[in-house]
Amino acid sequence: MATYLTKEGYDKKMAELAELEAQRPAIKNAIAEARDKGDLSENAEYDAAKEAQGMLEMKIAKIKELIASSRIIDDSKITTDEVGLLNKVTIKNVKNGMQMTYTIVTENEANLAEKKIASSTPIAKALMGHKVGETVKVEAPVGVLDFEIIKIEL
């Protein structure tokens, strides 16, 4: 199954992979130092270093798998006619007039601190395929909310 990433998301994953791979020598040295201290059956430093190595290798494998199965989204085909993936959307809560702006991204790139929401979230699902001026209903834990689409950007 392909994983879709933006070029920016792909570059971030590649940088994360390089950063993790750069940690390998330090962990290898920690294991060697702990091994040099003698009896491995009662060596907590050795156990901790081996566990850290296992966790690091697991993270590396996971990112490599993600990269291998990823497809980069062609952002030249993105339009602002209606809400879709990679659009920056400004919406207004009809009830209280509060405006919010979110960029709709793939699962792997969602980051609420950067106002990037996954396309699988209730808000994104409700907005997808709609145009400026339309009002959509979003099922939320507090009930149904109405949002008006104010602006769609790239």
Side-chain angles (χ1 to χ4, degrees), residues 77-151:
K77 294 188 167 109
I78 297 169
T79 68
T80 57
D81 297 340
E82 58 185 37
V83 179
L85 199 58
L86 301 185
N87 282 138
K88 184 176 185 177
V89 185
T90 301
I91 56 176
K92 179 175 76 175
N93 184 321
V94 174
K95 188 174 183 179
N96 65 18
M98 190 170 129
Q99 286 194 13
M100 298 152 276
T101 302
Y102 297 110
T103 301
I104 299 174
V105 297
T106 63
E107 288 290 320
N108 294 303
E109 297 177 66
N111 182 338
L112 202 50
E114 296 176 4
K115 297 194 182 268
K116 293 180 178 180
I117 60 172
S119 57
S120 61
T121 61
I123 289 177
K125 282 182 178 178
L127 294 172
M128 298 287 256
H130 290 277
K131 299 176 183 199
V132 171
E134 291 184 356
T135 300
V136 298
K137 293 187 180 303
V138 178
E139 289 282 336
V142 296
V144 178
L145 301 173
D146 292 325
F147 291 104
E148 180 185 349
I149 300 170
I150 304 298
K151 187 176 5 173

Side-chain angles (χ1 to χ4, degrees), residues 15-34:
E16 184 180 353
L17 178 61
E19 188 178 303
L20 290 172
E21 287 179 332
Q23 294 176 23
R24 282 177 165 160
I27 290 180
K28 187 177 177 184
N29 289 340
I31 291 170
E33 282 179 29

Side-chain angles (χ1 to χ4, degrees), residues 13-88:
K13 289 296 178 191
M14 291 300 286
E16 184 180 353
L17 178 61
E19 188 178 303
L20 290 172
E21 287 179 332
Q23 294 176 23
R24 282 177 165 160
I27 290 180
K28 187 177 177 184
N29 289 340
I31 291 170
E33 282 179 29
R35 190 181 301 121
D36 291 343
K37 291 183 180 174
D39 186 7
L40 297 181
S41 65
E42 295 180 17
N43 189 331
E45 286 179 46
Y46 179 78
D47 291 342
K50 287 297 280 182
E51 186 174 331
Q53 182 185 40
M55 296 295 284
L56 178 68
E57 292 303 326
M58 185 178 69
K59 287 178 185 174
I60 289 171
K62 194 173 183 179
I63 291 173
K64 281 185 172 182
E65 184 180 323
L66 175 75
I67 290 169
S69 69
S70 68
R71 302 286 177 265
I72 295 177
I73 298 166
D74 182 0
D75 55 6
S76 69
K77 294 188 167 109
I78 297 169
T79 68
T80 57
D81 297 340
E82 58 185 37
V83 179
L85 199 58
L86 301 185
N87 282 138
K88 184 176 185 177

